[in-house]
Amino acid sequence: MIQEIRTKLEPHFSNFEKFFSDLIAENASIVQPLQATLWSHGGKQIRPMLVMMSAQLNGAISTRSYRSASLIEMLHTATLVHDDVVDNSSTRRGKPSVNAQFGNATAVLLGDYLYARALRIAIEHKDYDILKVVAGAIEEMSEGELIQSKYIANREMTEEIYFDIISKKTAMLLAACCASGAYSANASQENIDLMHQVGMNIGLVFQIKDDLLDLDLKNKALGKPTGNDIREQKLTLPLIHYLNSQPKEKADEMFDLFLKSDVDNVLLHLQKSDCLRYAELKMQECVKNVKQLLSHYQNKECIQMFDDLLEFIMNRNH
């Protein structure tokens, strides 16, 4: 389904990839030793996809759209490289991380380089409006990480705090993608704000789905990693709902299992409750919000791309 969306966006997606590659190649001597590791991590490219989908919905995809998508990809990659250092992660999407191969110091410097490169490109082209929204998103992402660290293994974690964290950590960058795409198409401020909300809700869907996949016994049976949030003592929506909805004795028992990182028993308890279904319903509420927001537009082909992307996010298994 992702490939179908990309096909609909051609030749713009291919143009973006060349544009992005050329921007990186301008300083190949600096990043060349790291480039194979950095870009081999790949990904679904949902961020540049959202920039271009939003630009097309609000007018047309342009060179400024490519630049906006490139800016976001550089900044996002920088945050991932730094996150792997903070988390001491040795892999990224199943492949060795930059810090694992080249050391923490090199990884931190590479992240800093990508931040600086992105900022310089934006300033050179006077993309101050786009820079403002993207820089704001990076600031919110950092704040979300700090808030989450405060609530690791913390029984005071609430659903409201959870949504605040994932809004900042995950959804804010996708909101910036949609807003940047609208900016690049010279949309009205009303439509830019609307697209920001579209991206925010898509980001919430993405993160809730991630949290559900981490608790999926079917994935565990297939040998896919599960229970990482439990091992890292992160309270996600299904577990928060369980602790708030069950009698005190059962809630206390669950929290004790959680603190012991007893993944198998936590998963079994959640599967027997309505908590996974509760999270799915919250995810579906966000999907409805996106559809309601997009009803403001008339371009059915573009709206269908957003619908297809949401379907992909909700039905993915990794």
Side-chain angles (χ1 to χ4, degrees):
M1 190 166 292
I2 284 285
Q3 188 57 44
E4 291 174 7
I5 298 172
R6 176 178 171 141
T7 299
K8 290 179 181 178
L9 290 170
E10 291 295 2
H12 295 292
F13 213 96
S14 294
N15 291 344
F16 153 73
E17 289 187 324
K18 183 178 185 307
F19 186 92
F20 184 49
S21 178
D22 288 346
L23 285 178
I24 297 298
E26 284 181 22
N27 284 290
S29 62
I30 297 175
V31 299
Q32 192 170 20
L34 314 171
Q35 200 166 357
T37 298
L38 194 60
W39 309 125
S40 68
H41 292 151
K44 305 173 186 71
Q45 294 188 297
I46 287 175
R47 288 168 302 281
M49 199 171 285
L50 278 173
V51 173
M52 284 180 273
M53 286 163 58
S54 178
Q56 189 159 306
L57 183 61
N58 283 276
I61 299 170
S62 64
T63 300
R64 195 167 186 239
S65 306
Y66 305 155
R67 203 161 56 241
S68 300
S70 297
L71 173 66
I72 288 172
E73 280 295 90
M74 284 186 196
L75 292 172
H76 178 64
T77 302
T79 63
L80 294 182
V81 172
H82 282 171
D83 284 350
D84 285 342
V85 173
V86 171
D87 297 336
N88 198 27
S89 297
S90 59
T91 60
R92 165 67 56 182
R93 296 194 180 99
K95 298 181 180 180
S97 60
V98 174
N99 55 300
Q101 287 202 57
F102 302 100
N104 286 342
T106 299
V108 169
L109 289 170
L110 176 62
D112 291 346
Y113 168 78
L114 290 171
Y115 277 128
R117 180 99 177 94
L119 292 173
R120 185 168 71 81
I121 291 166
I123 291 168
E124 281 180 353
H125 293 89
K126 296 181 172 58
D127 291 328
Y128 303 125
D129 46 5
I130 294 170
L131 182 58
K132 182 179 179 180
V133 71
V134 175
I138 299 298
E139 180 182 2
E140 292 283 337
M141 289 166 66
S142 300
E143 185 179 329
E145 290 282 0
L146 290 169
I147 295 171
Q148 179 173 269
S149 67
K150 178 183 175 182
Y151 286 94
I152 294 294
N154 190 332
R155 187 71 179 267
E156 294 182 6
M157 178 72 152
T158 64
E159 188 173 315
E160 182 180 1
I161 295 169
Y162 165 82
F163 274 103
D164 184 43
I165 290 170
I166 69 169
S167 293
K168 289 178 164 67
K169 273 191 60 182
T170 302
M172 193 61 70
L173 189 61
L174 298 191
C177 291
C178 289
S180 297
Y183 268 120
S184 75
N186 299 315
S188 67
Q189 188 60 52
E190 179 184 359
N191 284 358
I192 290 167
D193 293 343
L194 186 152
M195 292 309 302
H196 192 276
Q197 287 301 309
V198 167
M200 180 66 73
N201 278 277
I202 292 173
L204 294 176
V205 172
F206 192 94
Q207 187 58 59
I208 295 171
K209 180 63 178 180
D210 256 9
D211 295 344
L212 286 169
L213 286 172
D214 194 59
L215 301 170
D216 195 331
L217 284 173
K218 288 183 290 186
N219 278 350
K220 184 176 176 63
L222 292 171
K224 297 177 181 178
T226 55
N228 287 332
D229 290 332
I230 298 167
R231 294 184 190 93
E232 294 172 7
Q233 301 288 273
K234 295 176 183 176
L235 286 152
T236 56
L237 185 57
L239 188 52
I240 293 167
H241 183 66
Y242 188 99
L243 295 174
N244 291 336
S245 63
Q246 297 296 318
K248 185 178 184 304
E249 185 177 339
K250 291 188 71 174
D252 289 345
E253 179 188 357
M254 172 64 95
F255 194 68
D256 185 55
L257 292 171
F258 169 74
L259 291 178
K260 292 176 181 175
S261 297
D262 188 342
V263 173
D264 289 342
N265 277 317
V266 169
L267 292 181
L268 285 172
H269 278 71
L270 289 174
Q271 290 286 339
K272 292 176 182 178
S273 73
D274 69 340
C275 297
L276 299 178
R277 178 59 180 161
Y278 177 82
E280 289 173 357
L281 290 173
K282 287 291 183 181
M283 185 170 64
Q284 289 168 12
E285 285 178 18
C286 296
V287 171
K288 289 179 182 177
N289 290 341
V290 173
K291 293 180 181 295
Q292 179 61 41
L293 289 163
L294 291 176
S295 67
H296 173 81
Y297 292 94
Q298 302 300 316
N299 189 326
K300 292 183 179 179
E301 184 178 0
C302 283
I303 291 172
Q304 186 61 52
M305 283 193 283
F306 280 94
D307 287 344
D308 290 345
L309 180 61
L310 283 168
E311 186 175 346
F312 166 79
I313 291 171
M314 290 187 295
N315 293 321
R316 64 199 169 96
N317 58 14
H318 64 278

